[in-house]
Amino acid sequence: MLETRHAVSSVDPVWDKITSEAQEAVQRQPLLGGLIHACILHHRSLEKALSYRIAAKLCSNEMSMVILREIVDRAYSENPDLVAAGRADLMAVYDRDPACHRLLQPILYFKGYQAVQCYRVAHWLWSQGDHDLSYFFQMRISEIFGVDIHPAAKIGRGIMIDHAHSIVIGETAVVGDNVSMLHSVTLGGTGKEEEDRHPKIGNGVLIGAGAKVLGNITVGHCSRIAAGSVVLQEVPPCKTVAGVPAKIVGEAGCDQPSVSMNQVVPGGSKDSDASPDQISPDQSGRGQSGT
């Protein structure tokens, strides 16, 4: 007797949700059907969709989309942690950005999310010793997204970079898990020395728009850096710093500043030279990041 076998498909609720949102988007706006089918509905998994999106964004006359997609597919195949990190980043954006209403949006439209996924492949290439190709990725990420992350920098999971204009992260920088930052943030050095020269950002840190963190200093876990601040000294865990140069102006105010996105500076601090507008207020507690 012929035995009938039924293939058991893997369950991926996140990808199922994304494809459902994509189908609804095509129904609402058929003019985007080509884009949404190419980026989402023609693929069977999130990693395949990300591979296509990265290749489509970074390709140029200097490097074809076909070659780039082969590179990304190989990276995802040899290091599944890249895909896991991409999922964590996606959920971070969805949870923290009030302008993000669907999981579909970061993949299609948000350059902060897209730039971080491109960086992750560049970092993998760097770790494999393929420095020239990783530099090519860095160059194209900067040209396309306005985000300049050295491929040697180490960045954790659950990263949300909102708006992502003029982000600079240096070669020896380290960024922990569940970090949120807004546009025009610099994690830079203070000179031309070649040794360890960039900041180390702890887990759960919130970095406001335009903040500059310079030198080989540590920003402790779950701290907040006010918008427009220049941080030149160590920041203890669970503190808020503000000003130029930045000083401690109070406690962080919650266990996970990067998740709550609450950017209100504590009032009445005696040791603060920061003006009240150095962190944008957010009465909702979810951040003012989405516009």
Side-chain angles (χ1 to χ4, degrees):
M1 176 181 288
L2 180 64
E3 181 181 358
T4 303
R5 296 184 179 181
H6 299 281
V8 179
S9 59
S10 60
V11 177
D12 186 347
V14 172
W15 180 242
D16 290 345
K17 177 65 172 174
I18 293 169
T19 55
S20 176
E21 292 174 352
Q23 291 164 353
E24 293 173 0
V26 172
Q27 292 177 355
R28 286 195 303 268
Q29 180 47 271
L31 292 177
L32 289 175
L35 170 68
I36 294 172
H37 275 276
C39 294
I40 304 296
L41 296 176
H42 285 175
H43 307 287
R44 64 179 183 270
S45 64
L46 177 59
E47 53 264 41
K48 291 299 182 182
L50 288 177
S51 174
Y52 177 90
R53 198 71 179 122
I54 291 171
K57 281 293 186 180
L58 299 188
C59 66
S60 68
N61 291 333
E62 299 167 337
M63 185 80 71
S64 74
M65 182 175 173
V66 172
I67 294 175
L68 284 168
R69 194 169 180 190
E70 289 178 354
I71 293 169
V72 181
D73 282 340
R74 180 166 62 91
Y76 284 166
S77 175
E78 295 186 17
N79 188 354
D81 284 347
L82 296 176
V83 181
R87 287 174 176 270
D89 297 339
L90 181 62
M91 297 311 300
V93 176
Y94 181 72
D95 288 342
R96 302 173 204 168
D97 187 347
C100 184
H101 307 293
R102 295 168 294 166
L103 293 172
L104 180 70
Q105 287 175 267
I107 301 172
L108 289 184
Y109 308 125
F110 289 8
K111 71 175 185 176
Y113 176 77
Q114 296 169 4
V116 171
Q117 305 322 303
C118 295
Y119 147 79
R120 294 196 183 283
V121 177
H123 180 70
W124 178 81
L125 290 167
W126 184 274
S127 70
Q128 300 298 302
D130 199 341
H131 291 183
D132 284 329
L133 192 51
S134 64
Y135 281 135
F136 176 83
F137 268 69
Q138 179 188 9
M139 175 189 74
R140 291 297 291 155
I141 294 166
S142 179
E143 290 172 349
I144 299 301
F145 301 112
V147 173
D148 195 344
I149 306 176
H150 195 285
K154 299 176 181 179
I155 299 179
R157 299 184 181 190
I159 305 300
M160 196 274 281
I161 305 181
D162 196 24
H163 300 300
H165 185 71
S166 299
I167 297 290
V168 176
I169 300 178
E171 178 181 10
T172 61
V174 177
V175 178
D177 296 331
N178 299 317
V179 170
S180 295
M181 66 181 74
L182 283 84
H183 53 283
S184 299
V185 165
T186 297
L187 306 181
T190 57
K192 58 183 295 183
E193 68 278 4
E194 295 184 3
E195 62 269 15
D196 196 352
R197 62 193 183 279
H198 294 106
K200 311 298 179 282
I201 308 298
N203 299 333
V205 172
L206 171 60
I207 308 177
K212 317 300 177 188
V213 187
L214 305 178
N216 183 16
I217 60 176
T218 298
V219 176
H221 298 315
C222 299
S223 292
R224 299 190 301 173
I225 300 174
S229 297
V230 178
V231 183
L232 302 174
Q233 296 180 342
E234 306 274 329
V235 178
C238 303
K239 299 295 183 182
T240 295
V241 297
V244 181
K247 299 179 181 180
I248 297 174
V249 298
E251 302 297 321
C254 64
D255 292 336
Q256 292 288 332
S258 65
V259 175
S260 70
M261 296 296 291
N262 187 342
Q263 301 178 64
V264 179
V265 173
S269 176
K270 294 182 180 179
D271 61 347
S272 172
D273 294 330
S275 61
D277 61 352
Q278 283 182 302
I279 293 184
S280 301
D282 167 39
Q283 301 303 322
S284 69
R286 200 184 168 197
Q288 88 314 326
S289 52
T291 57

